[in-house]
């Protein structure tokens, strides 16, 4: 399949490389020439201008920073929707606000294209390994078409509902992750102050009812999980700034539907403190430093 891939950053570079590895003809596009060069080295070819590549593509995959970039790339004056062939499948894998996903989906549909939002969970390691989890919003027919493309980049591919439902699943999951991470930090900090070392508390709690992914796969206290960022002074991984972006999306969405998210909102405030202290480039598990009262890098 001929695929135009837009946005070859931390996540998109690995994803585009995996599409090429799976035998797709991947046309790579990014505002950064260096990013395109890296993609070519990984088996893609440089898109010959966005317009030309869009007209050639059977599918377009995007991995961009935020809603405004996605709206612009697809529906802008010289956007993909002005160039692509009728019926082309658009797959946006960025984490963006649900309104933008729905607006781009409606705009694409009105012009005869298929669109799914397909945000991911898994981070850069999973993007490189081709083991991402995709949460897909779109019609059943469009989901089935997208699955063929997503299979090359992910291990778990879920149909969440109509366009926008992928973004809803993503922000709810990440809000829960932030809450569980902060709770895990509090428990390990208290355990230490009560005289339990991290390994002892981990051995007990990971087999008791406090067990959760933030503890057993990503422990924020150094020691028990060797691969966790806590063992490399909280270098990411998944940066606190990215988590804060997702918590703000969750907060805005919750306000619109009047859902109470007291712990999500508190989590957002704690990550905003990391942002204010200039430590939001640390991994999101670095919120442990804030809980310990050691916010400096
Ligand atoms: P990034 O900043 O590394 O990459 C974004 C890329 O998009 C950059 O290379 C940039 O040059 C390019 N770009 C921006 N505007 C463009 C445009 N108009 N046309 C073409 N290229 C353009 O970001 P990332 O970490 O790869 O994240 C991408 C998306 O994935 C975000 O929405 C993020 O929230 C989400 N996400 C990231 C992670 C992670 O661990 N990094 C995990 C899950 C989801």
């Amino acid at each position: 399949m001929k695929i135009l891939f837009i946005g070859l950053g931390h996540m998109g570079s690995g994803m585009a490389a995996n599409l090429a590895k799976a035998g797709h003809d991947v046309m790579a596009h990014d505002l950064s020439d260096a990013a395109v060069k890296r993609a070519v080295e990984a088996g893609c070819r440089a898109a010959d201008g966005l317009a030309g590549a869009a007209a050639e593509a059977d599918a377009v995959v995007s991995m961009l920073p935020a809603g405004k970039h996605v709206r612009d790339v697809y529906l802008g004056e010289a956007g993909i929707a002005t160039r692509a062939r009728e019926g082309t499948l658009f797959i946006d894998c960025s984490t963006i606000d649900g309104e933008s996903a729905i607006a781009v989906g409606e705009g694409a549909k009105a012009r005869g294209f298929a669109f799914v939002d397909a945000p991911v969970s898994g981070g850069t390691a999973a993007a490189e390994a081709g083991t991402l989890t995709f949460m897909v919003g779109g019609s059943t027919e469009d989901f089935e078409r997208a699955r063929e493309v997503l299979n090359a980049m992910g291990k778990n591919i879920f149909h969440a509902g109509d366009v926008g439902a992928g973004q809803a699943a993503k922000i709810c999951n990440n809000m829960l992750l932030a809450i569980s991470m902060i709770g895990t930090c509090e428990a390990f900090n208290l355990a230490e102050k009560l005289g339990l070392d991290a390994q002892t508390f981990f051995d007990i709690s990971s087999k008791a009812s406090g067990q959760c992914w933030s503890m057993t796969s990503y422990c924020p206290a150094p020691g028990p999980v060797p691969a966790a960022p806590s063992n490399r002074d909280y270098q990411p991984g998944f940066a606190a700034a990215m988590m804060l972006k997702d918590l703000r999306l969750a907060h805005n969405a919750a306000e619109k539907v009047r859902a109470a998210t007291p712990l999500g909102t508190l989590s957002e405030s704690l990550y905003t403190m990391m942002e204010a202290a200039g430590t939001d480039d640390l991994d999101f598990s670095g919120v442990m430093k804030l809980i310990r009262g050691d916010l400096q890098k």
Side-chain angles (χ1 to χ4, degrees):
M1 197 186 280
K2 273 191 186 171
I3 300 172
L4 167 59
F5 200 108
I6 306 168
L8 305 156
H10 289 101
M11 295 294 288
S13 52
M15 294 164 70
N18 282 323
L19 285 172
K21 238 182 258 167
H24 295 294
D25 176 7
V26 182
M27 299 174 276
H29 175 78
D30 196 290
L31 298 178
S32 151
D33 291 340
V36 174
K37 192 164 169 263
R38 276 195 301 275
V40 170
E41 284 162 7
C44 306
R45 64 183 166 104
D48 185 14
L50 200 54
E56 254 189 83
D58 302 309
V60 178
V61 180
S62 51
M63 194 54 168
L64 294 161
K68 62 177 187 292
H69 306 98
V70 176
R71 285 179 188 252
D72 193 46
V73 158
Y74 285 101
L75 303 181
E77 232 172 76
I80 302 289
T82 65
R83 312 288 179 167
R85 282 177 287 136
E86 200 178 333
T88 302
L89 171 65
F90 300 161
I91 305 174
D92 179 47
C93 299
S94 326
T95 302
I96 63 171
D97 58 290
E99 286 81 18
S100 290
I102 290 167
V104 175
E106 284 173 353
K109 194 172 171 202
R111 296 174 211 194
F113 304 109
F115 176 86
V116 297
D117 57 305
V120 306
S121 175
T124 51
E128 276 165 32
T131 56
L132 291 165
T133 293
F134 286 94
M135 309 162 210
V136 185
S139 70
T140 305
E141 189 191 341
D142 295 344
F143 170 71
E144 289 304 334
R145 280 183 71 192
R147 198 204 283 269
E148 192 191 336
V149 177
L150 299 177
N151 269 337
M153 302 184 283
K155 191 167 69 166
N156 298 301
I157 297 159
F158 295 106
H159 190 194
D162 291 337
V163 171
Q167 299 297 346
K170 166 76 185 177
I171 57 171
C172 293
N173 178 73
N174 277 21
M175 183 180 78
L176 178 56
L177 173 61
I179 293 167
S180 78
M181 177 54 75
I182 294 165
T184 304
C185 291
E186 287 186 12
F188 273 85
N189 185 49
L190 177 60
E192 187 186 325
K193 288 190 186 297
L194 294 175
L196 287 168
D197 69 25
Q199 189 64 52
T200 303
F201 178 60
F202 178 89
D203 290 344
I204 296 166
S205 194
S206 63
K207 296 284 182 291
S209 47
Q211 184 274 337
C212 64
W213 184 93
S214 291
M215 179 191 296
T216 53
S217 295
Y218 217 86
C219 187
V225 177
S230 54
N231 296 301
R232 44 176 202 269
D233 208 14
Y234 301 101
Q235 290 313 300
F238 182 52
M242 287 279 187
M243 177 55 91
L244 181 54
K245 172 193 162 182
D246 294 352
L247 288 168
R248 286 176 173 152
L249 288 172
H251 186 158
N252 290 339
E255 267 187 356
K256 291 206 174 82
V257 295
R258 295 176 182 250
T261 53
L263 296 184
T265 305
L266 185 54
S267 304
E268 181 192 347
S269 295
L270 291 169
Y271 282 105
T272 302
M273 288 170 73
M274 287 184 75
E275 180 184 56
T279 56
D280 58 337
D281 57 341
L282 294 178
D283 187 76
F284 82 108
S285 60
V287 70
M288 184 65 163
K289 284 177 164 261
L290 178 63
I291 300 295
R292 280 194 168 136
D294 168 27
L295 199 50
Q296 300 311 309
K297 276 190 189 174

